[in-house]
Amino acid sequence: MHRPDKIQAMDYAERPPRDALTLVRPEVHDALEGLSRAGAEDRGAVFTRPEVVRRMLDWLGYTPEHDLRGFRLLEPCFGGGEFLLEALERLLAAHFDRGGSARNADGLEGCLRGVELHRESHGQVIHKVINRLAKLGITRRLAAHLAHTWLVQGDFLLADLGGNGSPAHGGAGFTHVVGNPPYLRLERVPPALLAEYRRRYPTFRHRADLYVPFFERGLRLLAPGGRLAYLCTDRWMKNRYGQPLRRLIAEGYRLERYADLKGEQPFQHAVTAYPAVTVITRAEEPHPGTEVAGREGRWVRVGPEATPPDGPWLLELGAGFERLREWERRFPALEEAGCRVGIGVASGADAVLVRPADLDVEEDRKLPLLLAADVRSGSVAWSGRVLVNPFDAEGRLVDLARYPRLRAYLEAHRPALERRYVARKRPEQWFRTLDRVDPALRHTPKLLIPDLAGRPIVVLEEGRYYPHHNLYWVTSSAWPLPALQAVLRSPVAALFVRAYSVEMRGGYHRYQAQTLRRIRLPRWPELPEEIRRDLASGAARLQQRALARVYGL
Ligand SMILES: C[S@@+](CC[C@H](N)C(=O)[O-])C[C@H]1O[C@@H](n2cnc3c(N)ncnc32)[C@H](O)[C@@H]1O
């Protein structure tokens, strides 16, 4: 039997999918062609479980109590279509419940928009949408028209989505953006594409993952008052590469909801991704704070200070975090309280420049070096390594003519040293270490803290050694070091680190300079005499008692 609408539908489906790319350079085009046919891993494809999809649409407010026909929803990378098909069900329910019919379903044209780079996924979801609509009595011709209007095959980051997003609505942007952007490390993004993305997206800086520009574009496509909900790793909320994105949000949006999903598996396949859902609104009025998902589905509100424009976000809940916010109001940060924080020396060629102390070079060129492993036990246990020190006491590179044994040693390893970027950039300094050696630091008493640790390890070093680059150092002109050591070893410091550093696998934290600098402590002279005496005593029990009084523990 002749079925004209069926034939029309086939025509639509077999047409080459609509290519929504703006004009791009041939290398970019070729890279996209490759990706559009690539395997799941190369595209960062990890699909969302249906119950998480439903929960996110609920949190977003895309629910049938509203007349969803007045909304415009965007899914930036729809993959197997989980979000899109659920949104479609809700939209159709809203349409039919409010007197809509199969015949006037063409009015829904501007309500949905989905983008997907992978051609096969795009084709499959087109078919699913057509079949779903046809089941409801919508002609296959109209169904195909709607499916092809809604679903775009292309790169979300480069696609021309029409003005501010939706030509059907006068370019007014989307009221809802929802999805789970691809996780793709920088190294996996083809270089031509990476350059193009970086050119277009100011938040795509440092070592940011591909999901960062997905946030930026999604946010920029929102209509005023519109909302975006992404399921995504939470790394960007605290780390350095997330800073430009956090600032963008501070300047015209606000984090409305945050749910940590680390305790559950929101994806269809097991992946370790530190997942969280963030709901972000485009809004200019003052920030009323963020709802954070607590236990048993309760939401707890935290104030706008939990999402500062210039620092890591602090959304964890619990009594400890309330206290931490209070300390931030009361006390200055570590460096304002008369302490300095830095990191040890990186050589760029440890195999050549970090050697046992019996190395045959002049004695004054050997700088006793402490490695992270030398303090792991909690006290200094020098392994006997030295840094082959190319800097003199004034911090200038030495003249090799004055050091024949040093010269002979370095010349023997010249190719390895010259391969380093620092040597290629300044060929005359081919034997230098990456960092300058600060001549005074060795002899300054200091606290040393290994970069990565499960608990705070803070070792007092009296001024005999120089720290290697996996060690952070803290010196102070105001605080006696035993007192400062007590603070940095305490649960107070551990809470700051937990709040401001990203948790690594196995519950480890990074004690980086930027995190240590956030620790708050009183100015030493302002402490009562008795507390100063207890803190400086070196006796653990007295120190704990003093800390409990200072911090109200
Ligand atoms: C993490 S998956 C999520 C899929 C779907 N949103 C879900 O949650 O089930 C990411 C999807 O992004 C697609 N993708 C990767 N790069 C893209 C790009 N530049 N533009 C559009 N889609 C892209 C992948 O093919 C993959 O289907």
Side-chain angles (χ1 to χ4, degrees):
M1 199 176 78
H2 184 57
R3 298 263 312 273
D5 52 321
K6 171 98 181 169
I7 290 169
Q8 274 294 335
M10 293 287 290
D11 284 348
Y12 270 115
E14 281 164 14
R15 260 201 260 152
R18 206 167 100 209
D19 199 329
L21 275 183
T22 42
L23 280 177
V24 290
R25 288 180 298 124
E27 311 87 88
V28 172
H29 186 270
D30 291 350
L32 284 176
E33 270 307 301
L35 276 182
S36 72
R37 296 188 161 79
E41 219 172 283
D42 292 325
R43 292 177 284 117
V46 181
F47 295 164
T48 309
R49 289 214 333 256
E51 60 272 27
V52 178
V53 166
R54 288 193 291 273
R55 225 187 307 159
M56 284 173 64
L57 284 168
D58 291 348
W59 291 345
L60 198 59
Y62 198 81
T63 49
E65 306 92 82
H66 302 284
D67 187 353
L68 301 179
R69 295 175 299 183
F71 293 158
R72 300 176 296 285
L73 178 137
L74 167 72
E75 212 300 19
C77 49
F78 58 77
E82 296 290 358
F83 284 99
L84 213 95
L85 293 165
E86 176 63 25
L88 175 63
E89 286 308 319
R90 294 180 181 208
L91 173 64
L92 292 171
H95 178 64
F96 287 106
D97 288 354
R98 287 172 174 76
S101 70
R103 261 187 299 129
N104 64 12
D106 56 344
L108 303 178
E109 211 179 58
C111 296
L112 294 179
R113 183 62 70 93
V115 185
E116 171 56 53
L117 187 56
H118 189 227
R119 288 187 189 279
E120 199 182 319
S121 303
H122 174 260
Q124 284 165 354
V125 178
I126 287 260
H127 278 287
K128 283 187 193 163
V129 169
I130 293 176
N131 288 338
R132 180 69 192 114
L133 295 177
K135 271 207 184 107
L136 291 167
I138 295 173
T139 64
R140 292 196 82 86
R141 179 183 187 158
L142 177 56
H145 169 71
L146 285 172
H148 282 278
T149 306
W150 288 337
L151 307 183
V152 173
Q153 188 278 320
D155 182 342
F156 174 61
L157 297 175
L158 305 181
D160 177 4
L161 292 170
N164 194 17
S166 173
H169 287 77
F174 293 92
T175 54
H176 298 79
V177 175
V178 69
N180 160 14
Y183 316 122
L184 213 56
R185 297 174 65 105
L186 277 189
E187 295 72 23
R188 302 195 75 123
V189 182
L193 266 182
L194 186 65
E196 186 64 27
Y197 294 157
R198 285 211 195 275
R199 200 173 65 75
R200 294 186 188 215
Y201 296 98
T203 60
F204 199 16
R205 291 275 86 91
H206 311 297
R207 307 239 358 110
D209 198 289
L210 187 65
Y211 68 79
V212 170
F214 267 71
F215 266 98
E216 179 175 343
R217 182 142 213 228
L219 290 171
R220 291 193 193 280
L221 288 171
L222 282 179
R227 276 201 195 107
L228 168 145
Y230 276 175
L231 167 63
C232 190
T233 172
D234 66 4
R235 306 282 94 172
W236 64 275
M237 293 185 214
K238 288 195 198 280
N239 67 16
R240 191 163 98 94
Y241 75 58
Q243 181 53 49
L245 177 57
R246 295 195 297 269
R247 174 145 280 282
L248 172 76
I249 292 169
E251 283 168 359
Y253 304 85
R254 60 173 187 245
L255 181 66
E256 196 172 280
R257 282 190 165 183
Y258 163 77
D260 177 354
L261 300 194
K262 276 192 217 83
E264 55 183 297
Q265 176 48 269
F267 306 109
Q268 293 181 18
H269 301 282
V271 279
T272 39
Y274 311 95
V277 173
T278 43
V279 180
I280 303 170
T281 321
R282 177 161 188 178
E284 256 127 54
E285 49 299 359
H287 196 328
T290 300
E291 304 259 31
V292 180
R295 261 182 252 138
E296 289 148 21
R298 276 187 320 113
W299 293 95
V300 180
R301 184 173 286 275
V302 298
E305 66 281 359
T307 51
D310 292 318
W313 287 357
L314 178 58
L315 293 154
E316 293 82 350
L317 292 175
F321 291 94
E322 284 305 314
R323 278 216 195 107
L324 184 139
R325 292 188 189 106
E326 190 207 316
W327 299 331
E328 289 184 330
R329 283 191 291 273
R330 276 176 52 206
F331 301 134
L334 195 72
E335 292 195 319
E336 290 159 10
C339 308
R340 274 183 64 216
V341 180
I343 186 167
V345 59
S347 77
D350 282 355
V352 177
L353 297 176
V354 177
R355 303 296 304 162
D358 60 0
L359 184 73
D360 183 19
V361 302
E362 288 79 3
E363 284 308 310
D364 64 339
R365 292 299 92 220
K366 298 183 202 173
L367 185 64
L369 192 70
L370 269 192
L371 313 185
D374 301 349
V375 302
R376 277 263 145 69
S377 66
S379 55
V380 173
W382 184 44
S383 65
R385 305 264 146 178
V386 294
L387 179 78
V388 180
N389 184 5
F391 291 99
D392 67 15
E394 270 75 53
R396 289 177 310 228
L397 270 187
V398 295
D399 177 1
L400 289 182
R402 293 187 43 227
Y403 290 98
R405 282 153 65 204
L406 174 66
R407 168 187 258 167
Y409 176 74
L410 292 174
E411 288 289 357
H413 296 281
R414 191 164 179 146
L417 295 171
E418 283 184 337
R419 270 198 294 276
R420 300 169 309 154
Y421 176 70
V422 67
R424 279 186 274 127
K425 216 170 84 193
R426 299 196 206 116
E428 74 291 356
Q429 301 192 359
W430 60 275
F431 57 96
R432 63 166 290 163
T433 45
L434 297 191
D435 301 315
R436 227 166 242 292
V437 172
D438 168 4
L441 182 63
R442 174 185 171 193
H443 298 295
T444 308
K446 53 198 160 295
L447 299 173
L448 295 175
I449 304 169
D451 177 2
L452 203 63
R455 66 187 169 89
I457 297 173
V458 184
V459 174
L460 203 162
E461 194 284 301
E462 311 230 320
R464 287 201 202 96
Y465 303 100
Y466 202 88
H468 192 222
H469 72 97
N470 286 325
L471 282 174
Y472 290 90
W473 52 261
V474 184
T475 58
S476 183
S477 52
W479 274 70
L481 290 186
L484 189 57
Q485 184 184 32
V487 175
L488 296 181
R489 272 180 173 167
S490 73
V492 171
L495 187 63
F496 276 98
V497 172
R498 234 175 84 210
Y500 290 117
S501 89
V502 277
E503 190 180 322
M504 317 295 287
R505 222 157 282 171
Y508 276 65
H509 280 278
R510 304 202 68 173
Y511 287 73
Q512 290 168 309
Q514 72 219 44
T515 318
L516 294 171
R517 287 193 183 105
R518 302 191 76 89
I519 294 174
R520 301 297 177 118
L521 71 177
R523 286 179 221 283
W524 182 253
E526 290 171 12
L527 285 172
E529 168 64 32
E530 189 195 334
I531 290 199
R532 281 191 276 166
R533 202 185 47 229
D534 284 355
L535 279 177
S537 68
R541 211 173 44 80
L542 296 181
Q543 288 177 324
Q544 276 164 19
R545 192 180 67 184
L547 284 175
R549 282 183 53 198
V550 173
Y551 287 95
L553 293 175

